[in-house]
Amino acid sequence: MIDSLEPPKKQVRSRRKTNYKGAAKKETSGIIPKTETQRELLNALTSSNQVFILGPAGTGKTYVTATYAADLYTTKEIDKIVITRPHVTVGKDIGYLPGTLEEKTYPWALPVLDVLIKHLGKGVVETGIKNGNIEMAPLALMRGRSFDNSFIIVDETQNITTHELKMLLTRVGEGSKIVLNGDVQQSDLPSGDGLSKVIHLAKKHILPVPVIEFGINDIIRSDICAQWVKVFLKEGI
């Protein structure tokens, strides 16, 4: 059995305030890693302000990351949670979805939002979105912005170009953490993915950026998920 990790303790507290009734009474998740790689990820999130995560679906990459972000939000060690991802989509493009920008971005943010709702509660998440403390930010609209005291979750990073990642990584302000999460085997970019490039650059220039790699044996979602990931990998799909 893998022991529970204590949530990180910081001296600097967030300036964020909330009017949501009972929000201050929320407890942290007390997350227990289910695999050794998840333990490595939690350790990396605790010790570093930027983490790169690689691996197939069903390994808990997004769940662990979002749960950790929820804990920091609960203890007010961050002001904001930012969720972003590239414009490359499976199925309909975001432009074809009805509604406002927030309504358009909501569907692709659901994997993270579902985890936040589980740990923070629906009311806290809805209030956070309304107040701008939880933001779904399309990558294309992040140029020129700066995120301080924020936890930035970047999903599907294998479909972000090197140029876009250059823009994104230079948006990170003081007191923030950024997590790049992706599966380089599933890149839809014809010219190569930026995630592999920035990992190469981080290693080349000896930057203190942990790279956590999940494998097929780390899949915990279900046996069905594991079976199909293995089949698709063998077939090169």
Side-chain angles (χ1 to χ4, degrees):
M1 176 67 70
I2 302 176
D3 297 329
S4 174
L5 295 180
E6 291 292 332
K9 297 180 179 179
K10 290 185 178 181
Q11 294 181 350
V12 179
R13 287 291 183 180
S14 166
R15 297 181 300 275
R16 173 175 56 84
K17 295 181 180 180
T18 177
N19 295 323
Y20 179 73
K21 184 178 179 181
K25 299 178 182 178
K26 295 289 293 183
E27 297 181 356
T28 56
S29 66
I31 182 172
I32 299 176
K34 294 184 178 181
T35 64
E36 288 298 329
T37 311
Q38 286 191 5
R39 170 185 279 278
E40 291 177 15
L41 174 55
L42 282 169
N43 288 336
L45 291 170
T46 302
S47 61
S48 179
N49 289 332
Q50 49 183 333
V51 180
F52 299 161
I53 311 173
L54 302 172
T59 54
K61 305 187 302 297
T62 299
Y63 182 85
V64 171
T65 301
T67 299
Y68 188 87
D71 283 350
L72 295 186
Y73 192 82
T74 297
T75 55
K76 295 189 176 182
E77 295 181 48
I78 55 173
D79 291 333
K80 189 182 189 80
I81 296 175
V82 179
I83 309 164
T84 190
R85 63 177 290 169
H87 67 276
V88 177
T89 60
V90 176
K92 290 185 178 181
D93 187 82
I94 188 173
Y96 291 97
L97 295 175
T100 64
L101 179 61
E102 181 179 302
E103 291 170 336
K104 288 173 180 285
T105 56
Y106 189 86
W108 57 248
L110 274 176
V112 175
L113 291 176
D114 284 344
V115 180
L116 296 182
I117 290 172
K118 177 179 179 180
H119 296 300
L120 299 175
K122 186 176 181 180
V124 173
V125 172
E126 289 179 346
T127 300
I129 293 173
K130 180 180 179 180
N131 294 340
N133 295 327
I134 298 176
E135 180 179 354
M136 298 160 285
L139 184 65
L141 302 181
M142 294 184 70
R143 187 176 301 278
R145 302 189 62 185
S146 180
F147 296 98
D148 296 327
N149 301 311
S150 301
F151 195 105
I152 306 166
I153 301 174
V154 189
D155 214 4
E156 301 291 336
T157 314
Q158 76 275 1
N159 286 323
I160 300 179
T161 67
T162 303
H163 182 73
E164 289 171 329
L165 276 179
K166 176 184 176 182
M167 178 274 293
L168 178 60
L169 289 169
T170 54
R171 301 303 98 207
V172 183
E174 291 294 329
S176 291
K177 286 180 180 284
I178 185 168
V179 177
L180 304 184
N181 179 9
D183 180 1
V184 294
Q185 302 296 326
Q186 298 296 320
S187 177
D188 297 317
L189 298 178
S191 58
D193 67 283
L195 180 57
S196 297
K197 181 64 176 181
V198 295
I199 289 176
H200 167 73
L201 291 174
K203 292 180 177 180
K204 178 180 179 180
H205 294 275
I206 319 179
L207 300 183
V209 184
V211 179
I212 309 300
E213 297 189 47
F214 286 82
I216 292 178
N217 293 333
D218 291 308
I219 296 175
I220 59 173
R221 179 172 294 159
S222 68
D223 290 339
I224 292 176
C225 177
Q227 288 170 0
W228 280 106
V229 168
K230 292 176 182 178
V231 168
F232 291 139
L233 186 62
K234 289 181 179 179
E235 295 294 326
I237 300 175

